[in-house]
Amino acid sequence: MSSLTDLFPHPIVQAPMAGGVSVPPLAAAVCEAGGLGFLAAGYKTADGMYQEIKQLRSLTNRSFGVNVFMPQPQYAESGAVDVYAHQLAGEATWYETELGDPDSGRDDGYEAKLAVLRDDPVPVVSFHFGVPSRDVVDSLHRVGTFVMVTATTADEAVAVQHSGADAVIAQGVEAGGHQGTHRDVPENDGSGIGLLALLAQVREAVSIPVVAAGGLMRGSQIAAALAAGASAAQLGTAFLATEESGAHAVHKDALTNPLFVRTELTRAFSGRPARGLVNRFLREHGPYAPAAYPEIHHLTAPLRKAAAKAGDAQGMALWAGQGHRLARALPAGRLVELLVGEVRAARTALSAGSHGGEVR
């Protein structure tokens, strides 16, 4: 089994962004530049995931990863979903579409995807929204796969280590998209931990390697995370803006559009806390959205699709981390090169500063 740093030359991981963003050309470009590119299996069928893996393999011979969503337990009462659906009726009328079926499935094809990943192994698999069983982790280890799991607290990181996983992804509250909390507890909304504080807590709680994630957009921030004990840094929003990203052009443009001045964690689009640019839909529906994932995700899917088709940023889920204004619309490989250069410059400056008082 390879160690984390043996898998890719540079300590840069492209976050797996579900919903069509982390497409094979993006992951391949990151891999070819020396980072770890990722595919997002979330919201895809097992065969859809397999086809993307085949495409990626045709584009690069380097190590890459595939991210899998954990099945979700039943949290919300159906009544809360029905009430929210009634509230969204006006949106359906406005976009001339029907609301989605909230009961479209809870497990995201989990077992079928695991079967594919065991039968045709990939170098890295990561898990989001919970911890896989030790049996699952062991089965991936047997086929030579390196396993990572997201955690948002030190306690969650301990659970990741106990599962036998090889590394933990410490996700700070600054991160764009869905928070990878292991349990969706509404009472904990607003209590997320910032990345640097989380890194310190996780490093003291576990002995496995830690990948830092959350709001990272520049090499100087990556250098800070590495100095704080991370083995690598995972960036999502930074790669969302790249040329190879599958994100909608309206989404890419919104990252640096002065109209969108801040991000917020919201349940409006999916029923689970996720960070996105504050737009009309988020403002109007966020305060009332129930804790019901993936029911709300399925319910709002046609609305989001219709808004994207209309080019209406005010009705789309504009997932973005807190550093979104620093997004750079570059080829992904060029972005990796820039980040690597910035990391080196930051480390050199830090080293020079630490020796500033010495006589040479």
Side-chain angles (χ1 to χ4, degrees), residues 30 40 60 79 98 122 131 137 156 199 206-207 257 312 316 318 320 329 357:
V30 173
T60 184
E98 299 290 326
V122 300
V131 186
V137 174
E156 288 182 350
L199 267 178
V206 301
S207 58
N257 186 332
D312 181 8
M316 297 168 61
L318 302 173

Side-chain angles (χ1 to χ4, degrees), residues 1 46 70-71 76 78 121 137 154-155 160 173 179 199 201 204 224 250 279-280 290 299 304 314 320 322 329 336 353:
M1 179 72 63
M70 292 296 298
S78 59
V137 174
D155 286 345
V160 171
V173 73
Q179 290 284 296
L199 267 178
Q201 294 174 33
E204 291 201 1
V250 170
N279 61 3
R280 178 195 60 79
L299 186 72
R304 291 179 276 120
Q314 297 299 332
Q322 288 184 339
V336 172

Side-chain angles (χ1 to χ4, degrees), residues 27-39:
V30 173
C31 292
E32 288 296 297
L36 182 67
F38 251 95
L39 296 175

